[in-house]
Amino acid sequence: MSADYDPLDIELYRAELQKPRYTDEELARGLGLDPAEVRRRRQHLADLRLLRRVDEETWVAVSPHAAADALLGDEERELEDRRMELARRREDLTALTAEYLEARSLRSSAAHVETLHGLETVRAALAELAALCTTSVDSMVPGGAQSDRAVQAALPLDKAQLDRGVALRCLFLDSARSHPGTQRYLNELRDAGAEVRTTCLLPTRLVLYDRRTAVIPLDAHDTARGAVVVHDPPLVDLLAHLFDLYWGQTAPDAPRHEHRLSSTEQAILRMMAAGQLDEAISRQVGLSVRTTRRIISSLTRRLGANSRFQAGVEAVAQGWIAQRPAGHEPAAPPASDNVHTS
């Protein structure tokens, strides 16, 4: 029921239709109301344009459609005028589309490397690249677990690209699997048709659009600062080769090491053997320092070592991991708020 009238108002309206010359007192007796209340309600219905007073004793009931026209007609005309004005303004703005695309084309052809400053500028450019790509989007996403907000924002965009026939390949850290929200996101990506793989280490955040344009952070440790959009074919080819190299080293469901070590545990052991600190190790594998230390403690016990450094040495000596030169592990930036920028 509308808040503009109640059941007694409706009864009064019906009575006015049946007996238009009833006095206030007659209506009051029929409705069980005080005459003053009848007068108040008559005036209320008149304000709603449902009643019209002809003379001192006569009220005429007006049809609801006529009342609506009388009461709301001016507002409806104002709304229509407003809609037409908005349509004109939209047309004026979109008329600049050709100039925008031409300027973008000239900028891209004049500068093989385009620098974007600020998170909002980067997001706008990424949204445009994602909308314009036609064949493929390849992304490397370091940082392990992704925020729920980033996951919720990314999934609809990913599915929209897949629906357009764009092939998506997404490479995450193994540690992303330990986060329920991120794991659900990876599963939904696979179900939607994307290829998803994980690996123990990633060097940087990277997105490739149609293998012709690449986007990398301006600062790998603070992706909010900005990004670099690369159009130069040799540089894009180099970054595409980097992606292919990491992609080719893993698989969607890679088997565990013969000593039942995960790829993340193997990476941690190699960095322990190289003498890296817990904080540096946790940053590169995308886990918290507390979780990393818990894994290190478990590995140390399993190897029968007395210290974390000895555990790394023992892992090499016992063949659990292959020895690598110190500092060989590539560095990876901390987790960003964005899942990936496709």
Side-chain angles (χ1 to χ4, degrees):
M1 183 69 66
S2 170
D4 287 333
Y5 52 81
D6 59 26
L8 284 175
D9 289 326
I10 296 174
E11 289 298 318
L12 177 59
Y13 179 66
R14 290 171 61 89
E16 296 285 7
L17 284 167
Q18 296 168 3
K19 300 290 185 180
R21 297 186 66 85
Y22 266 18
T23 65
D24 294 340
E25 289 72 15
E26 289 172 324
L27 285 172
R29 286 194 298 271
L31 297 174
L33 297 175
D34 184 86
E37 179 67 10
V38 170
R39 285 190 291 272
R40 187 188 70 78
R41 288 180 179 272
R42 271 182 156 173
Q43 185 57 52
H44 177 58
L45 292 176
D47 293 339
L48 294 176
R49 305 297 194 272
L50 289 167
L51 284 185
R52 180 167 55 85
R53 191 164 191 168
V54 177
D55 54 41
E56 288 296 325
E57 297 182 354
T58 307
W59 291 79
V60 176
V62 179
S63 74
H65 288 291
D69 289 342
L71 184 64
L72 305 176
D74 290 343
E75 293 184 42
E76 288 175 340
R77 283 188 290 273
E78 289 176 6
L79 285 174
E80 183 61 26
D81 291 343
R82 179 62 174 162
R83 279 194 294 267
M84 293 179 63
E85 174 63 21
L86 289 174
R88 283 193 294 270
R89 292 175 62 187
R90 178 178 292 275
E91 185 177 353
D92 290 342
L93 288 172
T94 55
L96 297 173
T97 300
E99 286 76 7
Y100 171 79
L101 292 176
E102 181 181 0
R104 285 281 302 176
S105 176
L106 291 172
R107 182 176 68 177
S108 297
S109 61
H112 289 306
V113 177
E114 182 182 351
T115 302
L116 305 175
H117 295 283
L119 187 57
E120 293 305 318
T121 303
V122 173
R123 286 175 175 168
L126 293 174
E128 180 182 337
L129 288 169
L132 295 176
C133 71
T134 58
T135 59
S136 66
V137 177
D138 298 328
S139 58
M140 289 200 307
V141 188
Q146 307 297 313
S147 72
D148 291 339
R149 183 180 65 177
V151 166
Q152 291 168 3
L155 189 59
L157 300 178
D158 297 329
K159 288 184 175 179
Q161 290 183 99
L162 289 166
D163 290 342
R164 292 187 358 243
V166 177
L168 260 61
R169 295 193 298 173
C170 309
L171 191 54
F172 286 77
L173 285 178
D174 290 332
S175 55
R177 293 175 172 175
S178 63
H179 182 254
T182 305
Q183 181 61 60
R184 284 193 299 272
Y185 169 65
L186 300 187
N187 292 339
E188 290 195 55
L189 271 183
R190 289 191 186 95
D191 293 342
E195 290 188 73
V196 180
R197 298 185 182 183
T198 62
T199 186
C200 58
L201 293 170
L202 288 172
T204 186
R205 185 173 299 273
L206 166 66
V207 190
L208 293 161
Y209 295 95
D210 292 335
R211 314 285 284 189
R212 293 187 302 180
T213 303
V215 182
I216 56 176
L218 192 61
D219 182 344
H221 296 282
D222 183 9
T223 56
R225 282 191 57 195
V228 176
V229 182
V230 182
H231 305 284
D232 184 57
L235 288 178
V236 173
D237 288 345
L238 177 63
L239 293 170
H241 176 71
L242 177 68
F243 176 87
D244 292 339
L245 180 65
Y246 277 85
W247 182 264
Q249 290 177 347
T250 187
D253 296 304
R256 285 182 176 268
H257 188 272
E258 61 178 346
H259 293 283
R260 303 192 66 78
L261 292 178
S262 68
S263 57
T264 298
E265 290 173 325
Q266 293 177 53
I268 289 175
L269 278 173
R270 285 196 296 269
M271 287 183 279
M272 289 166 61
Q276 293 196 32
L277 298 177
D278 297 350
E279 290 77 6
I281 295 173
S282 68
R283 183 175 65 250
Q284 294 186 65
V285 297
L287 295 172
S288 67
V289 175
R290 181 176 180 180
T291 300
T292 301
R293 285 173 175 164
R294 186 167 61 248
I295 294 173
I296 290 172
S297 177
S298 173
L299 291 170
T300 301
R301 288 195 304 271
R302 290 163 63 183
L303 286 161
N306 296 321
S307 68
R308 57 187 301 283
F309 179 75
Q310 184 186 358
V313 174
E314 285 294 324
V316 174
Q318 296 180 31
W320 284 31
I321 57 173
Q323 187 171 12
R324 295 189 182 184
H328 182 73
E329 302 293 348
S336 169
D337 188 48
N338 296 325
V339 173
H340 62 90
T341 44
S342 60

